[in-house]
Amino acid sequence: MITPAQMRAARALAGIDQRQLAELAGVSLPTIQRMEASEGNVRGVIDTLTKVVEAFERAGVELIGEGMESRHGGRGVRLRQAGPGGDPAARRAGGAEL
């Protein structure tokens, strides 16, 4: 599973915009826009999701699922579960620093 937030973060890490991702994945720009605008996990045709994940991998970005470990190591960023400081999304919405 991939979330819209993961897609946006992966694009930022790769330094590409939605149009470039669409070209790399071989899908339309509206498809990428729709995927990133969805809520929860991105839903879509399995083939399309696979193309997007593979495009990120070719760009050097590894998507890490919940509870999974990185296969290749290297630098990375991971959103933590809510802990003593509360929900990270709520902190961002409230203007608090992460």
Side-chain angles (χ1 to χ4, degrees):
M1 296 289 171
I2 181 174
T3 67
Q6 280 179 300
M7 286 186 64
R8 291 187 297 272
R11 279 194 308 100
L13 285 170
I16 58 176
D17 62 21
Q18 288 179 330
R19 184 175 308 281
Q20 291 169 310
L21 176 58
E23 290 172 5
L24 287 171
V27 301
S28 71
L29 175 59
T31 296
I32 297 298
Q33 291 170 331
R34 193 170 39 253
M35 292 171 84
E36 288 192 5
S38 61
E39 294 190 21
N41 289 321
V42 172
R43 291 174 182 36
V45 177
I46 297 296
D47 184 53
T48 302
L49 294 170
T50 300
K51 287 179 180 180
V52 169
V53 170
E54 289 173 349
F56 281 132
E57 289 175 353
R58 286 192 304 276
V61 177
E62 179 184 3
L63 298 169
I64 305 169
E66 184 68 33
M68 302 299 293
E69 293 183 15
S70 173
R71 296 185 309 260
H72 305 290
R75 294 187 176 112
V77 176
R78 172 172 257 169
L79 185 63
R80 286 192 310 236
Q81 289 288 338
D87 177 26
R91 287 196 306 271
R92 285 192 304 277
E97 299 271 335
L98 288 179

